[in-house]
Amino acid sequence: EPMAVCAIRCCYCRGDHMTIGLEASSLSHPQPNTSLSKMEHRSHAASTILVAVAAFAGLICTYAVYNNHTNNATVDQYANMLPSSSAASLTSRRTRRFLEQVDDLKEKDQAAVHSQCARGNPEKLKERPLLIFKYSRTGSTWLAWTGNTVKLASGKNMVWTHEATKCDKDRDESIKVATAAGTVEYLKEYFGHETDGKLINEAERHVKRSDGGMQSECLQTAGEDPENIGVTIATLNPHVSHVDTPDLSDEEWEAIFGASSAPLAMGVLVRTNSVKRAISAIASHKQLALCGRKKLTGEEDCIKNLPKTINLNVTELWSKIHESEMKRAIVTEAAGELANKFGDGRIFCLSYESMQQDIVGEMRDLGEFLGSSIEEESLQKLSEESVSYKRGSDDLSSYIENYDEVYESLSKNPCILEQLEEDEPKNFPLCGVYTGDEEEESQ
């Protein structure tokens, strides 16, 4: 009698899709036979049990596929992000990890950026202000202007200040250097909701975007009604190589954290593909020469004159990759230290790649983390509106003129090479280009 030999492979992720691992190499129904032996009866019973187990595994995998679509994440993506472990080392544990943590994939996404990264709001805190540490070419302008388009379910505004050091009244515009005292004073007032009518509304924000004002002015933006403040969010580049950033003491940071009635939350924004960030940084200088600015809205006349491809100097590329890893490591560590000293130790972590994958989900999680849920209707509109212009192709083989030369050079580090070859948004670990021992370079 043929028996069902079921090879049940639990759900696993590969690339950007979920594979249902349920295979039956042979499955047939026994014909009625009144003279079956006890051994044959047992065989049929075992076959039936295997089929039932296979069906149950199929249900689990079906739920995994559904959860993958709703969370827009896969197990392999999180394995690939973990800086301390390779994806291969997690393979044998995929089944157990998945079954135990189906509803916790985004938490793993966060932990990949830094061990203190977290989501959710276990203490049920309300309307927390947020300070996001970031560095250049990570999508911070995109994040700030996108966040400003959403509305809180409470009817209040989510207020953003992009590049908080530009709001220092004592800032020396000639050399673009902010003062510690002025930066502290501004952040204390801002997080304490002492805006004194300085906020601009959504219509004014679009004007500032179109004329390039967001590049140099202090912009505090808030939806349609600037005075109806819910949560206040500011971005700041704390890296020592950023010439606009003052060095703040522990006493000054303590004053900033104590300025609001609700506990100040910490966040970070990184770009995990160091190769693409490096190329973006190199291309931005060429763009600056032609357009007069590094960030574009997509409406500038100069865009038609920008080159469609780029020829890279591999030495410069490696230097920018090193810079990318260095800034990512230092910025996340700085946020972690401040969260431990003056906050609750938790950090809300964002990546450029995660926002590309699911900007709606990231903003929804942000609202929950701050204790101010975002109106669902405004979340759904995010996918319909572009707030910044992205130049260049995600397929770098068609964008880089000397791709073969670059490929050969980056192949020295397989982790970095994978970033070059990836043509879809995906989170990556640090690849060991920056070890922490080198002397920090100026931008």
Side-chain angles (χ1 to χ4, degrees):
E1 292 287 337
M3 290 183 59
V5 182
C6 297
I8 302 171
R9 294 180 301 150
C10 277
C11 303
Y12 68 94
C13 304
R14 189 172 184 83
D16 296 325
H17 64 277
M18 184 73 72
T19 301
I20 299 179
L22 173 60
E23 299 177 353
S25 59
S26 174
L27 183 61
S28 62
H29 297 284
Q31 300 298 319
N33 189 335
T34 57
S35 61
L36 293 175
S37 66
K38 289 184 179 181
M39 181 62 69
E40 289 171 327
H41 277 298
R42 290 171 182 167
S43 296
H44 291 318
S47 176
T48 302
I49 292 171
L50 283 172
V51 171
V53 172
F56 179 69
L59 288 174
I60 294 175
C61 293
T62 301
Y63 175 67
V65 173
Y66 169 78
N67 196 61
N68 175 57
H69 285 303
T70 55
N71 283 337
N72 196 24
T74 63
V75 174
D76 251 357
Q77 287 173 335
Y78 300 103
N80 286 337
M81 284 182 64
L82 291 171
S84 59
S85 305
S86 67
S89 69
L90 299 177
T91 303
S92 63
R93 294 180 289 166
R94 278 182 180 146
T95 299
R96 178 174 58 81
R97 288 169 67 92
F98 173 76
L99 293 176
E100 292 176 352
Q101 300 169 352
V102 163
D103 296 320
D104 201 30
L105 288 178
K106 284 193 175 181
E107 195 77 14
K108 294 300 178 186
D109 193 348
Q110 294 282 288
V113 177
H114 193 273
S115 60
Q116 292 170 234
C117 295
R119 299 242 165 153
N121 189 355
E123 296 183 16
K124 306 300 180 185
L125 299 171
K126 298 294 184 183
E127 296 187 351
R128 298 183 67 185
L130 174 67
L131 177 62
I132 299 176
F133 278 4
K134 55 88 178 182
Y135 50 101
S136 60
R137 318 309 300 178
T138 56
S140 58
T141 300
W142 172 31
L143 172 64
W145 295 114
T146 298
N148 188 232
T149 65
V150 300
K151 298 179 181 178
L152 298 177
S154 64
K156 295 181 179 181
N157 283 307
M158 178 177 279
V159 184
W160 289 79
T161 290
H162 183 48
E163 301 283 8
T165 52
K166 292 179 180 177
C167 298
D168 169 19
K169 299 174 186 150
D170 302 322
R171 182 175 184 262
D172 188 335
E173 285 295 333
S174 63
I175 56 175
K176 296 183 177 179
V177 174
T179 66
T183 300
V184 171
E185 192 60 29
Y186 168 73
L187 289 174
K188 286 171 59 179
E189 291 179 358
Y190 179 66
F191 290 135
H193 291 193
E194 298 175 14
T195 56
D196 296 330
K198 299 173 187 173
L199 300 181
I200 61 175
N201 63 27
E202 189 170 2
E204 292 174 296
R205 172 179 65 85
H206 282 289
V207 173
K208 294 292 186 182
R209 280 186 57 214
S210 63
D211 67 10
M214 64 182 182
Q215 301 296 321
S216 58
E217 294 184 25
C218 169
L219 295 184
Q220 306 167 81
T221 57
E224 298 174 356
D225 180 7
E227 299 308 312
N228 191 14
I229 302 175
V231 296
T232 49
I233 302 174
T235 64
L236 177 70
N237 187 340
H239 195 270
V240 292
S241 70
H242 192 258
V243 295
D244 198 32
T245 301
D247 187 18
L248 303 184
S249 67
D250 280 356
E251 291 74 18
E252 288 168 325
W253 279 119
E254 186 174 16
I256 293 171
F257 272 82
S260 61
S261 56
L264 175 64
M266 282 299 304
V268 295
L269 172 62
V270 302
R271 189 166 184 172
T272 69
N273 191 316
S274 297
V275 173
K276 290 188 176 180
R277 183 199 171 271
I279 295 172
S280 173
I282 294 170
S284 71
H285 291 288
K286 300 180 185 295
Q287 180 177 295
L288 179 64
L290 288 171
C291 296
R293 67 181 74 162
K294 293 182 180 180
K295 298 175 183 177
L296 303 177
T297 65
E299 300 174 359
E300 292 83 358
D301 292 334
C302 65
I303 290 176
K304 63 179 180 291
N305 299 322
L306 293 173
K308 300 297 187 291
T309 58
I310 189 171
N311 190 290
L312 295 171
N313 178 296
V314 292
T315 301
E316 181 185 18
L317 178 61
W318 273 113
S319 175
K320 288 296 182 182
I321 291 173
H322 176 273
E323 173 193 273
S324 296
E325 291 220 336
M326 175 182 67
K327 290 188 174 184
R328 174 180 168 183
I330 292 176
V331 164
T332 52
E333 283 303 312
E337 289 178 9
L338 288 179
N340 281 334
K341 285 183 179 179
F342 309 112
D344 58 6
R346 303 169 76 241
I347 311 172
F348 187 85
C349 299
L350 288 158
S351 75
Y352 180 83
E353 292 79 10
S354 293
M355 292 194 298
Q356 283 184 301
Q357 290 172 339
D358 184 14
I359 186 64
V360 172
E362 294 298 280
M363 292 305 296
R364 183 185 290 114
D365 286 355
L366 175 61
E368 180 186 1
F369 186 82
L370 300 179
S372 298
S373 59
I374 298 174
E375 182 183 75
E376 197 64 29
E377 182 180 353
S378 68
L379 280 173
Q380 296 309 319
K381 290 180 180 178
L382 288 181
S383 59
E384 303 169 8
E385 180 178 354
S386 175
V387 294
S388 63
Y389 175 73
K390 182 180 183 296
R391 192 168 68 86
S393 171
D394 281 319
D395 181 4
L396 295 180
S397 64
S398 63
Y399 181 57
I400 302 173
E401 295 173 5
N402 56 329
Y403 183 80
D404 290 343
E405 179 190 5
V406 170
Y407 184 97
E408 182 180 359
S409 180
L410 297 194
S411 63
K412 300 171 185 176
N413 185 322
C415 177
I416 289 294
L417 182 63
E418 185 182 358
Q419 297 179 23
L420 174 74
E421 295 181 297
E422 185 59 56
D423 59 4
E424 296 291 337
K426 177 182 177 181
N427 287 297
F428 288 93
L430 289 168
C431 294
V433 178
Y434 169 70
T435 63
D437 298 328
E438 303 95 332
E439 182 180 351
E440 294 177 8
E441 303 171 0
S442 295
Q443 185 175 351

